[in-house]
């Protein structure tokens, strides 16, 4: 079977040198494996995504010399698939509505000793979930109280047992999904979270090889648990090094100096970009 690779940027800013490194690394691995290369626009968070950034993604990637299959998958067009996956988990008692607002959550978890996930976000309080009876939940939901949908990670881990994935440079990596606590599957303002959408999309697109930044290494544990729960295959993973600025910080989309657009308009060529990211 021909391997399938994908690049999955979010159109919430200009692509920068970090994206160029990721896309070029991904593309080179795909070509070396004689694979198919797909593009996915991760625009589930509609409040932060803009059409001009999506056009910028096509323009910048084409300029770098990449080609991809059409049609491009856009997350904003697949809400029904995400809802179906969440409902399947919900029917198995693995999902619960979480009613704490961001401000309430921040207050309840302000203690510096409060457990945090690998990205530094506070874990959702267990007490809060246990405090609400089924009748409370039904009444709040019927009254239209805003909520997110969270995965009951303890039950999810009980259901799937120990999990692992194959990391290209390391071999088998034992996943630690418990470190993430009850991750969000659907937000108040978006029908799916990144974690849920990425798992559904990778399966829908038949992705066999995920090449992405090291910043998503630990999140793979959540993705593997969701794949097991939903009966989906786990791709192979390759988490590459991150491009940092002179101070060693991860690049940000708000930093104009490293945007591909600004560099191109300043006269840089694709070969210059490769050199700048050490390729
Ligand atoms: N959309 C994510 C990002 O731009 C990448 C997701 C992934 O490759 O799994 O960081």
């Amino acid at each position: 079977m021909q391997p399938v690779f994908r690049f999955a940027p979010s159109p919430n800013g200009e692509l920068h040198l970090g994206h160029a490194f990721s896309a070029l690394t991904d593309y080179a691995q795909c070509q070396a494996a004689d694979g198919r290369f797909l593009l996915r626009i991760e625009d589930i968070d509609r409040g932060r995504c803009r059409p001009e950034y999506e056009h910028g993604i096509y323009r910048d990637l084409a300029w770098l010399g990449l080609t991809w299959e059409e049609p491009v998958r856009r997350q904003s067009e697949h809400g029904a698939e995400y809802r179906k996956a969440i409902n399947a988990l919900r029917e198995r008692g693995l999902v619960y509505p979480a009613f704490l607002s961001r401000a309430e959550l921040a207050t309840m978890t302000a203690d510096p000793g409060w457990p945090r996930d690998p990205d530094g976000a506070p874990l959702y309080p267990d007490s809060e979930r246990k405090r609400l009876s089924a009748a409370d939940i039904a009444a709040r939901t019927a009254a239209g109280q805003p909520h997110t949908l969270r995965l009951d990670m303890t039950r999810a881990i009980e259901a799937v047992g120990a999990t692992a994935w194959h990391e290209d440079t390391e071999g088998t990596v034992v996943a630690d999904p418990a470190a993430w606590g009850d991750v969000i599957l659907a937000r108040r303002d978006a029908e799916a979270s990144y974690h849920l959408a990425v798992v559904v999309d990778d399966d829908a697109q038949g992705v066999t090889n995920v090449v992405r930044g090291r910043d998503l290494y630990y999140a793979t544990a959540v993705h593997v648990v969701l794949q097991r729960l939903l009966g989906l295959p786990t791709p192979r993973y390759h988490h590459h090094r991150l491009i940092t600025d002179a101070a060693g910080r991860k690049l940000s989309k708000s930093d104009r100096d490293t945007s591909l657009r600004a560099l191109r308009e300043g006269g840089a060529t694709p070969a210059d970009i490769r050199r700048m990211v050490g390729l």
Side-chain angles (χ1 to χ4, degrees):
M1 194 184 65
Q2 202 181 3
V4 180
F5 290 68
R6 54 49 162 200
F7 184 58
S10 299
N12 56 11
E14 296 285 346
L15 295 189
H16 54 56
L17 287 173
H19 297 102
F21 177 70
S22 192
L24 290 166
T25 302
D26 199 352
Y27 198 65
Q29 291 199 8
C30 178
Q31 289 195 311
D34 195 21
R36 294 168 52 205
F37 194 75
L38 310 182
L39 181 60
R40 176 162 81 231
I41 300 296
E42 300 219 320
D43 59 350
I44 195 78
D45 187 355
R46 289 183 216 184
R48 296 176 60 217
C49 294
R50 303 264 177 280
E52 60 269 31
Y53 293 135
E54 183 175 333
H55 294 140
I57 289 170
Y58 303 136
R59 178 200 60 210
D60 293 348
L61 295 181
W63 177 66
L64 287 173
L66 273 63
T67 56
W68 52 88
E69 290 182 15
E70 298 283 349
V72 167
R73 183 176 171 99
R74 301 171 73 240
Q75 290 185 329
S76 55
E77 294 166 357
H78 297 276
E81 288 164 60
Y82 307 135
R83 276 194 297 277
K84 193 170 152 218
I86 294 172
N87 285 338
L89 300 177
R90 214 171 173 172
E91 278 164 20
R92 290 163 64 188
L94 297 168
V95 176
Y96 66 91
F99 294 97
L100 286 184
S101 68
R102 278 207 184 92
E104 286 167 333
L105 185 58
T107 309
M108 278 183 78
T109 60
D111 185 315
W114 190 271
R116 288 175 179 269
D117 72 22
D119 282 348
L123 300 196
Y124 198 77
D126 226 25
S127 56
E128 181 57 25
R129 174 166 56 93
K130 294 189 176 136
R131 191 174 71 81
L132 296 182
S133 67
D136 281 336
I137 291 175
R140 286 167 183 247
T141 312
Q145 187 174 338
H147 56 270
T148 57
L149 294 177
R150 287 183 180 262
L151 180 69
D152 182 331
M153 189 58 93
T154 307
R155 281 198 192 171
I157 292 170
E158 276 166 18
V160 299
T163 45
W165 77 86
H166 180 86
E167 179 73 28
D168 271 351
T169 50
E170 295 169 41
T172 303
V173 179
V174 175
D176 180 17
W180 290 92
D182 296 345
V183 289
I184 295 180
L185 298 182
R187 304 191 165 275
R188 290 180 178 79
D189 50 1
E191 42 222 335
S193 66
Y194 159 66
H195 295 307
L196 191 279
V198 79
V199 163
V200 170
D201 292 338
D202 282 338
D203 175 63
Q205 293 190 289
V207 171
T208 59
N209 292 68
V210 172
V211 178
R212 61 185 180 191
R214 188 80 193 170
D215 50 339
L216 291 167
Y217 181 86
Y218 293 105
T220 310
V222 176
H223 303 167
V224 174
V225 166
L226 289 173
Q227 286 154 0
R228 291 284 185 289
L229 290 173
L230 294 166
L232 308 177
T234 294
R236 293 170 72 105
Y237 289 89
H238 177 103
H239 292 92
H240 58 67
R241 68 180 167 89
L242 298 178
I243 302 292
T244 52
D245 64 14
R249 283 181 304 253
K250 205 184 129 185
L251 300 182
S252 124
K253 282 189 171 146
S254 53
D255 182 359
R256 288 273 307 147
D257 297 349
T258 63
S259 95
L260 299 183
R261 177 185 197 148
L263 291 164
R264 182 176 55 245
E265 288 172 358
T269 65
D272 294 330
I273 302 295
R274 284 178 180 272
R275 221 174 6 254
M276 290 168 88
V277 297
L279 286 173

